[in-house]
Amino acid sequence: MRDPDNPSVRPGWSPEFLTEAALGSVQTEYEVLQLMRRCADHFGFSHFLVTRFPDAERPRLSARLLVSNWPAELVRQYDALEVFHRSRLVTEVAQTKQPVRGDARLLAPKDPGDAAAAAAAKLTEQHGLAASLAFLLHSTGAEPFIVLFSGRQAALDHDDTARLYFAAVQLFECLEQTFATGTVAREKLSGREIECLRWAAAGKSSDEIAIILGISPYTVSSYFKTATRKLGAVNRMQAIASAMRMKLI
C-alpha cells in the first residue's frame, strides 16, 4: 500500500493513536471506525468515509460505503439527489494518484448546468463539508477505493497532507484485514451486536442499520450471525426475541 517512490511519505512518522500496538489489535470495522474518528480529529476534519467506486448497478453512496461518520440523514439526502456516480469526487479521484482537494462542490457533479449540482453543494456545505481532501487507495486485489476527509478547516500544507496520506494507508490496511479475518467471537454480546439487534427490533433493515452505524451491510450481517449464535437462536427474529427477553435491548 505504501509508495516507496514518494519521499514526502515518512514511514517513521505515526501519531499516538496509530501505534503498532493499536493497529495490531484491530479486528473489526468498528475498531477501524474509531481510529478514523481520531485520525480525522487529529488533522482537523469533522467527517470521513471510505467507499468503493460506484458502478452501474450500485450508483448510490450508501450502497458502496464501508465506514463513515456521515449522519444517516445526510447520506439519505445525498443519495436522493443521485449525484455520487457523477460527482467530481468520483471522476477526479479516478484520474490521479495525487490527493484531490475541493470545497463543497467536490461532492457534486462538475457540470454547472446540472440541476442537482447546486443542491448537492448546498447540502454538504450545510453539514460542514466545506473543504475536503481525498485519496485513491487500492486493495491488495487492486480494487480502487476512495478515502475522504472533510470539514471546515483551511487546507492542509504539504507535510500534513503527506502525514494524513500515510495514516490513511495504515488505516486502510487495517480495514482490508477485517475483510479476511471477520469479527472475532466473544463470550458475551458486543456493543455493536446489541446495537444491531436494537435497531432491527425497531424495524430497521440491514442497509438502514449500516447507514446509522457507519459500517457496511456485510458487517451488519456478520454482527447478526455472531449474535444469533451467542444467543443460541436459529434466526435473526429469534435472536431479537431472546435479547428482549433477557433485557439486553
Side-chain angles (χ1 to χ4, degrees):
M1 297 295 300
R2 298 170 189 166
D3 184 356
D5 298 323
N6 187 348
S8 66
V9 177
R10 305 172 184 178
W13 177 87
S14 185
E16 181 181 349
F17 58 88
L18 289 180
T19 63
E20 184 175 347
L23 294 174
S25 66
V26 173
Q27 297 175 327
T28 68
E29 284 186 21
Y30 178 65
E31 291 170 308
V32 176
L33 179 72
Q34 297 308 308
L35 285 176
M36 289 201 70
R37 287 185 193 278
R38 298 182 65 185
C39 180
D41 182 67
H42 180 85
F43 288 96
F45 292 100
S46 57
H47 296 75
F48 62 84
L49 62 80
V50 180
T51 180
R52 290 183 168 90
F53 278 79
D55 57 28
E57 295 182 355
R58 292 161 293 184
R60 296 189 175 188
L61 176 62
S62 60
R64 307 303 280 161
L65 272 179
L66 292 179
V67 292
S68 169
N69 72 336
W70 279 30
E73 187 58 28
L74 171 58
V75 176
R76 292 193 188 95
Q77 292 180 17
Y78 185 72
D79 273 352
L81 295 172
E82 299 183 347
V83 295
F84 178 52
H85 64 294
R86 298 182 287 117
S87 67
R88 288 177 52 207
L89 173 68
V90 169
T91 57
E92 293 183 16
V93 170
Q95 295 172 0
T96 180
K97 293 183 179 180
Q98 297 297 316
V100 172
R101 305 174 188 272
D103 54 22
R105 292 171 294 180
L106 182 65
L107 289 151
K110 187 174 183 178
D111 182 2
D114 191 313
K122 181 178 180 180
L123 175 66
T124 53
E125 172 75 30
Q126 288 175 337
H127 282 269
L129 284 68
S132 293
L133 180 60
F135 303 105
L136 171 66
L137 296 180
H138 289 83
S139 68
T140 53
E143 181 181 1
F145 292 80
I146 298 171
V147 180
L148 177 72
F149 294 91
S150 304
R152 294 189 182 278
Q153 83 298 333
L156 298 181
D157 62 22
H158 180 271
D159 286 345
D160 276 343
T161 298
R163 293 180 180 120
L164 178 56
Y165 169 78
F166 182 61
V169 168
Q170 290 179 296
L171 291 169
F172 184 76
E173 287 178 344
C174 288
L175 179 61
E176 187 177 12
Q177 186 63 30
T178 69
F179 300 164
T181 60
T183 304
V184 176
R186 296 176 175 86
E187 290 300 318
K188 298 180 180 179
L189 289 180
S190 69
R192 245 359 185 194
E193 289 164 352
I194 291 174
E195 285 183 291
C196 287
L197 289 170
R198 183 177 294 122
W199 282 113
K204 300 297 183 181
S205 67
S206 292
D207 287 343
E208 290 173 323
I209 295 171
I211 294 174
I212 292 169
L213 299 183
I215 56 180
S216 70
Y218 173 83
T219 301
V220 172
S221 296
S222 177
Y223 284 133
F224 278 127
K225 288 178 181 178
T226 55
T228 298
R229 176 183 56 77
K230 291 176 183 179
L231 291 169
V234 296
N235 55 42
R236 183 180 303 188
M237 292 307 298
Q238 191 179 84
I240 293 171
S242 296
M244 293 178 69
R245 186 170 59 253
M246 297 166 65
K247 297 184 178 180
L248 296 174
I249 58 176

